[in-house]
Amino acid sequence: MKIHEYQAQNLLKQYGIPVLPSGVADTVEQGLELARTLFDRGCSKLFVKAQVHAGGRGKAGGILPAADLAEAEDAIRRILGMTLITPQTGSEGKLVRKVMVVEASGPIACELYAGIVLDRQRERPVVMVSGEGGTEIEEVAAKMPERILKEHVHPLGGMNPFQGRNLAWRLNLSGDLIQQAARLFVNLYQMFIDLDCSQVEINPLVLTRDKKLIALDAKINFDDSALFKQVEIASMRDLSEESNLEVEASRHGLNYIKLDGNIGCMVNGAGLAMATMDIIKYYGGAPANFLDVGGGATEENITEAFKIILADKDVRSVLVNIFGGIVRCDRVARGIITAAGNANLTRPLVVRLVGTNADEGNRLLRESGLSIQTAEEMADAAQKVIAVLGGGGR
Amino acid sequence: MSIFVDAESKVVVQGLTGREGTFQALQMKNYGTDIVAGVTPGKGGTIHEGIPCFNSVEQAVGETGADVSIIFVPRQFCSDAILEAAFSGIRLVVCITEGIPALDMMRVKTLLGELGVRLIGPNCPGIISPGKTKVGIMPGHIHKPGRVGVISRSGTLTYEVVDQLTRLDLGQSTCIGIGGDPIPGTNFIDCLELFEQDADTNAIVLIGEIGGNAEESAAHYIHDHVTKPVTCFIAGQTAPPGRRMGHAGAIISGGTGTAREKIAVMKECGIAVAENPAVIGTTLASLL
């Protein structure tokens, strides 16, 4: 799960990580009030920043500076309500519903980077810092991997102060800054663990000329599997940032990701779902979505899965590929029949049911009187669902 | 022979009395698995579907000699259930449940390492040694005893592959679903090592997917240490970057973990890569 920058700033603050004074607004009036407060407190320059779940905001006009109240009002009016298009939003862009108004930092000596992810190979968190802040860390990793300094943290031992100090001196920090940076890294690690983060990143972490470290921008992502226990974090989820169909799908325990093809897919199991998309592409078609109905699929969520696939107007035919293990094929067949009864299933449907209770499932489908093509083999199923489109996949 | 489990394995079901636990326990029993006990706190002393229930794994192990556990409890109780099994004398824990927080799993796995207990999963279909025992949720009837070892991060895609093998008359020695989470209890290399040593396994199928670099590590391991023929398939060639494809571990992040990279490394290491999921069985057959 992703959160907004202003929410990330609040979390950092809770963990004792220095951030600049800021506030969030969803109306021009609120934004102006925030700007006025900041200017009144002696701030000489501030930034108005669009709050959307996408990077690349600055270049797209989603971040504007303001040196006085009039400029602030202009910036807020321009950004609030705009549709921001960045390389990460897709061509449709994202509507800006909130802006963050934040004080600009003092003169900057250098820009650093600090981040933590779970190192899957070593099966423990890795704290990464770099003197090359302000740029995409993936670029640094690709071009100058030696500029990324790492400390792996023992899962049970936790991050100790010495590890924070090691990172600090390797960054060429000195004097009081070593303790300051070490504390910041340890606090960041504590947040990563406490909140079940999947990734935290402060970029840039600036060092001001008066020798203060400040988190200027932060990205915090959370492990979706941990949201059941991270109630406060879960409540920060902004559904308006997510695709409607994907939100609707997750409400029914379905895993759905919209893609840009025209063949709808309903599959049980993530691996088979990916393989089904792969084989559709292999035979020249284009999958419209990834949809895993999951292990505990019930008649109801199969029905919902159909509604979601068919709600996508790009879908011209549908392939159901179910290999029964936990999911029993008779349940799937009942779901298909119910869904077909409720929805206007005019688009061609190819169904492949194999495994637990497959015979019963196929019998139910045959006796339903629905017009369904069945297939026994995966390749056969893929070729049939492409063939019904007439010619190629598109 | 087979790896991890065989006909002698005595299995305790944690979460027996739940809906899936009950359904799957009976499926396993019908397959011939020696289900000796179930554990549901508060139901100790009762008999559920012919299986004696205990309040704790320790009691179950003490009374029945169970050495393998399979877990169906809801995810919020899973870390606890795995550790309970590990601290109660179980040598192999199979966790079916999906959705355990990654950092919880990280801590659990570290403890299991200290205890010397093996975990398969979580978020996996389990393990089967066809004709001997099934400690998992896979449909038993598609399997056939034989000499091919199967290792996979997926559940249903594994069934697909097994079905292909069986239709080609290529039986299986053991099939292991290692699960789709970022930190699996058992990884590809653990399984490859045992299959290489297993006198009754002649060939290996490895099913990987996008995310992480377990496939690349496995490829190098195969190149250096495995003499038996190996076929692999990597799912997710059409997956968009930055999106979690169902499995918690199936995500291309920071441009790494793509199917293309993995396939390239597999090929560099001389491994036969099936070009689509329908030809995994025939690709292996062509090597034998």
Side-chain angles (χ1 to χ4, degrees), chain A residues 136-193:
Chain A
E136 287 284 324
I137 201 66
E138 285 85 5
E139 273 176 42
V140 181
K143 288 180 195 153
M144 317 174 269
E146 72 286 352
R147 299 279 180 90
I148 299 178
L149 313 168
K150 297 178 180 178
E151 277 284 332
H152 281 86
V153 181
H154 190 279
L156 304 179
M159 184 165 179
N160 294 290
F162 81 88
Q163 293 175 291
R165 294 197 299 274
N166 281 351
L167 290 170
W169 68 253
R170 287 163 68 199
L171 274 172
N172 293 323
L173 297 175
S174 57
D176 166 59
L177 275 173
I178 289 189
Q179 294 292 2
Q180 204 187 126
R183 211 160 35 236
L184 189 149
F185 300 147
V186 170
N187 288 348
L188 191 65
Y189 181 81
Q190 201 54 50
M191 182 180 84
F192 179 85
I193 294 295

Side-chain angles (χ1 to χ4, degrees), chain B residues 201-226:
Chain B
T201 299
N202 288 358
I204 302 164
V205 177
L206 186 152
I207 309 298
E209 63 190 31
I210 57 161
N213 54 6
E215 290 76 9
E216 288 90 327
S217 305
H220 292 298
Y221 184 87
I222 291 165
H223 181 266
D224 296 342
H225 303 286
V226 178

Side-chain angles (χ1 to χ4, degrees), chain B residues 141-163:
Chain B
H141 63 88
I142 61 169
H143 298 77
K144 176 185 154 75
R147 308 182 69 85
V148 178
V150 179
I151 324 165
S152 172
R153 275 169 72 183
S154 167
T156 48
L157 181 55
T158 317
Y159 313 161
E160 173 67 41
V161 173
V162 166
D163 192 49

